[in-house]
Amino acid sequence: MSQPFRADGLGSVDRSRPIRFTFDDVAYQGYAGDTLASALLANGVHLVGRSYKYHRPRGILGAGAEEPNALVSLSRGLGRFTPNLRATQIELHEGLKASSQNRWPSLAFDIGAVNDLLSPLFAAGFYYKTFMGPDLFGKNWAWTHVYEPAIRRAAGLGIGPREPDPDRYQRTFAHCDVLVVGAGPAGLAAALAASASGARVVLCDENPGPGGSLLAESEATQIEGFGARDWLAKAVAKLRDAPNVRLMMRTQAFGYYAQNFVALNERLAEPDLIADPELPRERLWQMRAHEVVLATGAIERPLVFPDNDRPGVMLADSARRYLNQYGVKVGERIVIAAAHDGAYRAALDLRKAGVDVALIADLRPDAKGLLPEATRAVGVEIAAGAEILGVDGRLRVKAVRIGIDGKKRAIPCDALLMSGGWTPSVHLFSQSRGRLVFDEARQTFRPGASAQRERSAGACNATFDLEGALAEGDAAGRAAALGAGFAAPVARAYPVSGALPAAVSSPAAGGRGANAAAGRRSKAFVDFQNDVSSKDVNLAVQEGMRSIEHIKRYTTTGMATDQGKLSNMNALAIAAHALAKPLPEVGLTTFRPPYTPVTFGAFAGPARGEMFDPVRRTPIHDWAAANGAHFEDVSLWKRAWYFPRGRESIREAVARECLTTRKTVGLFDASTLGKIEVVGPDAAIFLERMYANAFRKLEVGRCRYGLMLSEAGFLIDDGVIARLKPDRFHVTTTTGGAPRVLAQMEDYLQTEFTDLKVWLTSTTEQWATIAVQGPSARDCVAPLIEGVDLANEAFPHMHVREARACGVPARLMRVSFTGELGYEINVPSHFGGAVWEAAWGEVEKRGGCAYGAESMHVMRAEKGFVIVGQETDGTVTLADLGLDWAIGKSKKDFVGKRSLDRPDMLAANRKQLVGLLTDDPAIVLEEGAQVTEGANPPTGSSALGHVTSSYPSAALGRSIALALVAAGRSRIGARLNVPMPRGAVQVTVTSPIFYDKAGARLNG
Amino acid sequence: MLLIACPYCGMERPEIEFAYGGEAHITRPADPGALADDEWANFLYFRSNPNGVIAERWRHVFGCGRFFNCLRDTASDRILAVYKAGEARPGLAADEAGG
């Protein structure tokens, strides 16, 4: 297969290794070392995409991370589909399948291009202006139902994959003495200098190989007497051999955070991944560096002129890179639009390679100096003071129309290069909170004062010449080593010869003159990726935007993945001109991470699927699973939810479990309850201060229902607290609440009640808790327990005994969350399974059942017992819940006490816990539903409250609900409504206790 | 992510080992019952929230478990000093305190 645009003898691609690939299902060939972009250009393909908004045909504009147009999708099946990749950074590999985006039915013929004709509709801020009304079916109806869905379908670039990503991603934390970002000449010199000091150096670069701008140098360039590429090879070999240096290629430093914390994203090469799918696709490195050297280079600035987005229009230095690095000529006959001497460097190299450079249209009034004169000397025509009037050719540049000396000329060509000067890549520096300063001579922003331990070197510091960049890199490397505490090596010079002098001339600002020529139909683009033209920026100013941040948001220039790489300076220049303000006064927008897009996979790392969160399982989990339990997630716990028999539904299973428990006995795994051991001579005083209840007089062997308030007076946790010894308490918390409760206890113990001698230990995982509930509970427990008289009088409700269960140490409590006679057997976790099995044997013998968390919820609701987090939401008091009887009235102080007297806590209309009974006993209210006075409350009126819990109750033969209702206790007997989409449900307010109101069953 | 030097452990550890504890040196009143409503509200809810140096509490929750205090500049997110609970707020050099 021919590659008609390859230049003989140039570039470093491996011509002995041809590589086949497809783009939009057309087969092409390139070479190892190519990018997708260079291989397409070698085949004469410039048209690679359609623009975001206007669907204009677009070609390859750049050669690196700045590429705004050549965004493609890669696919190799099985969920390995990635949209929006820059063709300029995709390494070519065998079998690569790429496709263009944002076009239908094909790239060359795209229906969406009608947007280009309708473009007056899509000017800056069009969302806010064009798509108003008609509000046929309510406010914003047309926007919500017509315009927005249509715009969403039409706009955007690649589509997201639907299958789960099968690849692995890793996360790594690392530290180093010196991190050097960018392995171009400055970065290499910095790494060489820093590593010579013995410092641990990391050198990273986004590209597959080191070299940066050295790879774009022609053969003539020599460093220290070696050809640029030979020098590069020697420098890299030296770094690779150094044990204190880690070279990280394909590694993008994308974010710079506080304390020299730099985020790196390392991609593995696609062929390596194909060979070994077990390798991680990407690694996210969280790198902490003592010192940082930024050597991130510079990006060439486009020019703003009509139709500057035609396929075939390209940055001049990118064309030079395609020639010298990849051996690809971007055209046969080219025109160069110059506002900067960099254009001439490209012209000379291209000319030498046999490309017909038809004309250099220099927008500056005159073209003088070393480079223009050298170019003139080889016979290239230079038109100084020219203006670009337009570009012909829709799918590929055909001719450039220029104005010169009042006359118009059309120059046929197949590529148009542009050079507007260099913009230092200050993104990371700016993210590090360093201050940018404006460099008048170079018409650009450059790093000023550092905010962190970093320094910039080379082109990112506006030092564009090779020798200067090498020297600056060396100095930066030495300074960084010194800063990291190493003896800095002596300075090194890297003499350079044969290189074309770097252009340091002052570029014409922003192509303003050319912009004036943009006619009504033609567009001069500022931000290619977001389809923002000079007219949009002017319109934004005209419509009153003054701040550059507002202009950015109104026009979307520099947003999304561009992050100002190409658009910033031109947008700023145009805005400054329109505002008649000096450029630095208008200022820059904020550079935000990431520098280039990072995949969600890299951020998620291994935290997906089963690895997303830790899973906590109780010692009884395996038994529950083996006995058909369905599980639910409660915080990190897997809780047995219900135990269906045969083909039972959840409702049938729960009804059976509740009835069986209330009739005979039920066995419940309560191991997920949080447990904290509170020990010490002041343990009782401590609990008195932490909980609303009194504890000092609680006798050893007794339990109390503890209620914990926040300092603001609201209920935040509850649980049974057992006094085992005068100085030892077994405290239980809600499932999942233990860390929060322990943190609150530690906080007060360490910082407020520092006089108390108390020790806190989390024991949640140490105890398995087996609840036996129901009329036959005592009969089931008795055979298991030694050393405790279980008679009601000897061991009444809310008591605790240390005992042995099945021969192992146990804490036996007489407690109930069902309203039935109940016990909870706490045994060390590793005996939990065995003791449960023994208990199950007794329960099964008596016709009992195992029940899950759903039945537990139903039975406690039948008794009106609250669940913190269900009946409460952080604004509910004990009085609201009718639990104020538990408050230790004689206590002078406890956490939250003072707040109970705040006026709002005493208000008459507070929401109070009540029961609701529906008129139709079959209707089960929805939890969260609003409760109102009338059936059709007027729009804008407040609800009286809401339903907090609602279940079908088998024991009562009807539905029940708990609710928080304003002044609810005064409404008992009243009729209220629960409005639902299909009409209001009528309810009667009742006491929240539905079952065994007298509590007689507890003492069975 | 910040690196925080725990004054008890004596070494810098990543922020994910710590839990934030709000503004420091706000002592719980010895007798809350003696406070007027607005005084109690002030203790409960009002914080200095400066654009500059703040003394704040952190807990090395996944390390030694201790609460300690630190001075942090909220504008630069830079930690200027760490000190043990109960110790007085340290003074800062003029250039650091400037924020």
Side-chain angles (χ1 to χ4, degrees), chain A residues 933-976:
Chain A
E933 196 99 54
N936 292 298
T939 306
S941 61
S942 298
L944 293 174
H946 69 279
V947 177
T948 58
S949 293
S950 177
Y951 309 95
S953 162
L956 294 155
R958 57 155 303 134
S959 70
I960 56 166
L962 296 174
L964 285 167
V965 174
R969 285 196 284 273
S970 71
R971 294 180 196 267
I972 286 180
R975 316 249 306 135
L976 296 176

Side-chain angles (χ1 to χ4, degrees), chain A residues 174-243:
Chain A
H175 294 254
C176 65
D177 295 315
V178 179
L179 170 67
V180 182
V181 180
L188 288 165
L192 287 166
S195 66
S197 75
R200 285 175 305 151
V201 176
V202 171
L203 172 60
C204 71
D205 194 289
E206 62 187 344
N207 294 300
S213 66
L214 289 178
L215 301 171
E217 290 294 333
S218 73
E219 298 291 323
T221 304
Q222 295 205 321
I223 305 170
E224 295 183 293
F226 297 99
R229 243 158 253 164
D230 292 339
W231 182 88
L232 171 63
K234 290 164 81 81
V236 171
K238 195 168 173 187
L239 290 169
R240 279 198 205 285
D241 288 347

